[in-house]
Amino acid sequence: MKYLKIFIQEGEIMRQVDLTKTLEELEGEYWGEPNFASSLVIQVHKLRKKPLCELNNEDLCMLKSIGIDWFLR
């Protein structure tokens, strides 16, 4: 498994995370289908289902711009 130490904003805790998991799996929140037809909403919903190891810089920037709680250090 691929692991990386990440910084979690809440509580400022460092921990190892399995990079093959998705944000949905790590957060335990499943958003389902988007209920608003904007390209940003649709893309963010897709990115939450993508394993962390498959996210590229553009994906990370988009997630960070919407205030995601997971930050890589």
Side-chain angles (χ1 to χ4, degrees):
M1 277 188 227
K2 297 178 182 180
Y3 286 94
L4 177 69
K5 288 187 179 182
I6 65 166
F7 180 73
I8 301 172
Q9 189 174 10
E10 279 184 48
E12 300 182 7
I13 300 169
M14 291 287 289
R15 71 176 190 174
Q16 286 190 336
V17 172
D18 181 352
L19 295 179
T20 63
K21 292 189 181 265
T22 66
L23 286 171
E24 287 189 335
E25 292 170 325
L26 293 170
E27 293 179 345
E29 293 181 21
Y30 299 89
W31 288 7
E33 293 301 314
N35 59 2
F36 188 74
S38 82
S39 58
L40 177 62
V41 170
I42 292 167
Q43 187 61 28
V44 169
H45 275 255
K46 286 180 184 177
L47 292 176
R48 289 184 51 80
K49 298 175 185 335
K50 192 174 184 179
L52 293 180
C53 62
E54 295 178 14
L55 295 174
N56 60 36
N57 287 340
E58 185 179 317
D59 297 338
L60 293 171
C61 286
M62 182 178 295
L63 291 169
K64 186 176 178 186
S65 74
I66 64 156
I68 194 156
D69 289 338
W70 299 79
F71 291 93
L72 302 177
R73 220 189 219 193

